[in-house]
Amino acid sequence: MLLEIFGQVWISMTCTFNYMLYYLNPKYPVLLIFTCGWSDVGGFAFGSMFGKTKFASSISAKKTMQGVMGAVVLPVCM
């Protein structure tokens, strides 16, 4: 029951946040979506090419520290 309530609150907060961003400037929600996408691409690419140091193997067996750094660096550089 707690997860169901949390899910509804999370979706409502996300929609409200996106509406506020859209109200400020219609380009912001699109920028947010592209930033999330570039973060995924950076994490995958850097982790595949340079990944050696394991990071949070309980969450994902192939997650590496280099992938995490790529997920942070690539959206900032774009």
Side-chain angles (χ1 to χ4, degrees):
M1 183 163 170
L2 182 62
L3 287 176
E4 189 174 323
I5 293 171
F6 177 74
Q8 291 176 358
V9 170
W10 184 260
I11 290 171
S12 299
M13 287 175 52
T14 304
C15 292
T16 303
F17 179 70
N18 280 333
Y19 179 74
M20 289 186 329
L21 282 177
Y22 182 79
Y23 182 72
L24 291 173
N25 189 345
K27 296 177 186 174
Y28 287 156
V30 175
L31 180 66
L32 182 67
I33 291 169
F34 278 113
T35 302
C36 292
W38 281 113
S39 177
D40 286 343
V41 169
F44 178 74
F46 279 71
S48 297
M49 289 190 284
F50 306 114
K52 290 185 176 37
T53 310
K54 294 290 183 185
F55 179 77
S57 59
S58 62
I59 297 172
S60 175
K62 292 188 174 185
K63 190 171 295 305
T64 62
M65 192 64 180
Q66 290 78 13
V68 172
M69 290 300 168
V72 172
V73 170
L74 189 67
V76 172
C77 293
M78 295 309 236

